[in-house]
């Protein structure tokens, strides 16, 4: 008999230990296909939440958490490549593997290139006992199971084009990280500007469940006896923060996309939108409508984006947004963060961009926190410093430039 965890149309998985453990047991009963990744979580709590901005802030804290691990380290990462940062993480993971800590890693083939350009790094990880599974969204036939395990090659047609864009870290099932940065040098040296949110408490169980589902779907295995260790009982603390993990998997159930729409439509006073690729016409209309109904809207975007097609499509809409009253702020670095703050009360942050592939086709993960204190922390650590160094956005000028922007805006469903 086929068992399922809570997916679209089912009762959601809450944050209580019994609930996430039961869901994990159903996962282990299998089969775990793409539909099983359409996880629907109920709101739970975080006992703490901290916004860390810039690689110099979040990488050392991540490495400290990894060094503290006693049972497991689980990572999903689009971009994990050799370099100063990648080598530091690899060294930390190898050291913990030698101590007997279970290290499991899910990476995207397109973003991390584990069998070609990054092969030396991944050979080292695998040799140390790290289990590495690869999302292969560009291969019609792909090897199943962890790298180096001799898995069979099988057809992979259902996974084509479904890039794994997620970035999350779970340590001992007790500490969780969600953000937009890869394990790559350009997030440390200032070329790319990004952030992570570090959480503790029951919401970490939801992050852990996302990892387990992803790991099992790629052909890896886990023992039922491990569940209690991987999903420990977690205290919500003295001042619990309402929180929920939102997980977009390919298919029609897209809770991040829905949550972004709700935040944009539900803003009454203030709205901060931080995103590098703002091309989806529906979301842009929502931002414009918010400003026209009197919401004070700040849109943070890169002043010099690394994706010129998306940048051009986005800039096509600048005139209308500015006319509606949106303050467009162009960050001098390649602003790569993805976050939304509504009315100083809710923060949504993670990996989802405002373009068609993220909103509809990629694997994405965000965390939603309902807390004025966390929203104020975001404003202090990200918005205020970013506004101080950003330039005001302007309407496009010149027939050739506007014509190019018009063309790419028309192609936005493909961007």
């Amino acid at each position: 008999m086929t068992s399922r965890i809570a997916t679209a149309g089912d009762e959601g998985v809450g944050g209580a230990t019994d609930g996430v453990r039961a869901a994990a047991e159903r996962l282990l009963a299998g089969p775990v296909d793409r539909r099983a990744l359409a996880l629907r979580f109920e709101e739970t709590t975080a006992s703490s939440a901290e916004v860390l901005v810039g690689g110099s802030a979040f990488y050392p804290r991540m490495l400290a958490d990894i060094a503290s691990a006693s049972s497991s380290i689980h990572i999903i990462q689009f971009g994990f490549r050799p370099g100063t940062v990648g080598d530091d993480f690899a060294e930390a993971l190898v050291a913990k593997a030698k101590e007997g800590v279970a290290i499991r890693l899910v990476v995207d083939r397109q973003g991390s290139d584990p069998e070609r350009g990054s092969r030396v790094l991944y050979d080292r990880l695998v040799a140390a006992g790290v289990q590495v599974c690869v999302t292969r969204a560009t291969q019609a036939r792909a090897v199943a199971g962890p790298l180096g395990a001799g898995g069979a090659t099988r057809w992979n047609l259902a996974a084509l084009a479904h890039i794994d864009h997620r970035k999350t870290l779970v340590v001992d099932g007790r500490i969780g990280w969600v953000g937009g940065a890869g394990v790559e040098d350009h997030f440390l040296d200032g070329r790319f500007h990004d952030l992570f949110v570090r959480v503790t408490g029951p919401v970490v169980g939801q992050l852990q469940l996302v990892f387990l589902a992803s790991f099992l779907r790629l052909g890896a295995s886990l023992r039922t006896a491990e569940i209690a260790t991987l999903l420990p009982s977690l205290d919500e603390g003295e001042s619990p923060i309402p929180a929920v993990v939102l997980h977009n998997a390919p298919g029609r159930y897209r809770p991040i996309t829905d949550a972004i729409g709700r935040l944009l439509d539900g803003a009454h006073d203030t709205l901060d939108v931080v995103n590098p690729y703002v091309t989806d016409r529906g979301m842009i209309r929502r931002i414009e409508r918010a400003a026209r109904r009197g919401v004070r809207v700040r849109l943070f975007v890169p002043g010099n984006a690394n994706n010129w097609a998306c940048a051009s499509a986005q800039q096509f809409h600048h005139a209308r947004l500015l006319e509606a009253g949106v303050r467009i702020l162009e960050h001098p670095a390649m602003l790569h963060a993805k976050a939304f703050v509504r009315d100083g009360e809710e923060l949504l942050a993670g990996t989802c961009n405002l373009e068609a592939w993220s909103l509809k086709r990629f694997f994405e993960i965000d965390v939603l926190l309902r807390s004025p204190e966390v929203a104020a922390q975001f404003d202090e650590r990200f918005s205020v410093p970013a506004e101080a160094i950003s330039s005001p956005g302007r309407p496009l000028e010149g027939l050739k430039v506007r014509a190019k922007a018009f063309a790419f805006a028309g192609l936005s469903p493909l961007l």
Side-chain angles (χ1 to χ4, degrees):
M1 183 176 72
T2 299
S3 297
R4 294 190 301 160
I5 57 174
T7 59
D10 299 331
E11 182 180 353
V13 178
T17 302
D18 290 346
V20 291
R21 284 182 182 173
E25 289 172 358
R26 291 193 291 273
L27 272 174
L28 289 176
V32 181
D33 56 17
R34 198 178 71 191
R35 291 170 297 177
L37 295 179
L39 293 160
R40 184 166 68 86
F41 292 115
E42 296 175 356
E43 185 176 273
T44 182
T45 58
S47 58
S48 70
E50 185 176 4
V51 179
L52 291 108
V53 179
S56 60
F58 52 72
Y59 286 138
R61 290 286 301 279
M62 287 179 174
L63 289 168
D65 285 340
I66 288 171
S68 74
S70 60
S71 59
S72 65
I73 299 167
H74 291 166
I75 298 172
I76 302 176
Q77 182 52 258
F78 171 74
F80 189 155
R81 291 177 177 266
T84 300
V85 177
D87 293 347
D88 284 350
F89 271 74
E91 182 178 345
L93 295 177
V94 167
K96 298 309 291 188
K98 289 179 179 177
E99 294 176 13
V101 175
I103 316 292
R104 301 180 177 102
L105 176 61
V106 171
V107 298
D108 184 85
R109 181 176 184 265
Q110 187 75 7
S112 297
D113 203 17
E115 294 157 307
R116 296 176 300 180
S118 304
R119 183 168 181 172
V120 172
L121 182 147
Y122 284 91
D123 283 350
R124 181 187 179 199
L125 291 173
V126 171
V130 177
Q131 289 184 282
V132 182
C133 286
V134 183
T135 299
R136 303 175 185 276
T138 59
Q139 291 181 296
R141 287 180 61 81
V143 176
L147 285 178
T153 300
R154 62 189 183 189
W155 287 105
N156 192 45
L157 299 180
L160 290 178
H162 299 310
I163 296 289
D164 190 343
H165 192 237
R166 299 170 295 178
K167 296 99 175 175
T168 184
L169 163 68
V170 181
V171 176
D172 289 344
R174 298 180 180 276
I175 301 168
W177 290 81
V178 180
V183 181
E184 299 170 281
D185 286 353
H186 53 257
F187 292 101
L188 178 65
D189 62 20
R191 285 176 288 163
F192 278 47
H193 190 56
D194 215 320
L195 61 89
F196 266 87
V197 178
R198 181 186 187 271
V199 292
T200 60
V203 73
V204 178
Q206 296 182 348
L207 289 174
Q208 185 75 296
L209 198 62
V210 169
F211 177 86
L212 297 178
S214 304
F215 192 65
L216 293 169
R217 184 188 73 92
L218 292 171
S221 61
L222 290 164
R223 294 178 295 108
T224 303
E226 294 181 76
I227 290 177
T229 301
L230 295 175
L231 293 162
S233 298
L234 300 171
D235 189 352
E236 65 178 11
E238 296 181 358
S239 302
I241 301 165
V244 64
V245 170
L246 304 176
H247 182 239
N248 274 16
R252 295 187 177 183
Y253 180 62
R254 306 176 190 124
I256 303 174
T257 307
D258 294 342
I260 293 171
R262 180 185 64 79
L263 291 174
L264 300 181
D265 292 343
H268 295 290
D269 300 314
T270 61
L271 177 65
D272 281 353
V273 178
V274 182
N275 214 266
Y277 313 120
V278 184
T279 65
D280 183 81
R281 286 178 177 267
M283 293 299 183
I284 291 169
R285 284 195 295 269
R286 283 180 151 119
I287 295 169
E288 178 187 349
R289 287 199 297 264
R292 292 192 185 279
R293 65 175 181 266
V295 179
R296 298 187 300 278
V297 182
R298 291 186 294 187
L299 173 60
F300 292 89
V301 296
N304 187 20
N306 66 330
N307 185 321
W308 56 268
C310 282
S312 185
Q314 169 198 300
Q315 290 164 356
F316 171 76
H317 301 280
H318 276 195
R320 286 181 58 188
L321 291 171
L322 291 166
E323 191 274 332
V326 175
R327 291 188 61 210
I328 301 175
L329 298 161
E330 297 185 346
H331 196 281
M334 170 50 208
L335 180 65
H336 193 260
K338 309 94 168 42
F340 306 81
V341 183
R342 182 194 67 81
D343 293 332
E345 296 176 354
E346 287 185 275
L347 168 65
L348 176 68
T351 67
C352 194
N353 294 314
L354 288 180
E355 38 85 3
W357 288 94
S358 276
L359 293 169
K360 299 176 182 178
R361 303 178 187 108
F362 287 175
F363 290 94
E364 304 284 1
I365 191 164
D366 279 37
V367 62
L368 178 66
L369 300 155
R370 293 196 296 110
S371 165
E373 291 77 20
V374 174
Q377 184 186 130
F378 182 90
D379 191 59
E380 177 187 353
R381 297 186 179 185
F382 178 86
S383 298
V384 171
E387 183 172 3
I389 62 173
S390 294
S391 302
R394 297 180 177 84
L396 292 177
E397 297 180 353
L399 179 61
K400 185 177 180 179
V401 172
R402 286 186 283 121
K404 183 177 78 169
F406 174 80
F408 280 112
L411 295 172
S412 61
L414 304 176
L415 298 177

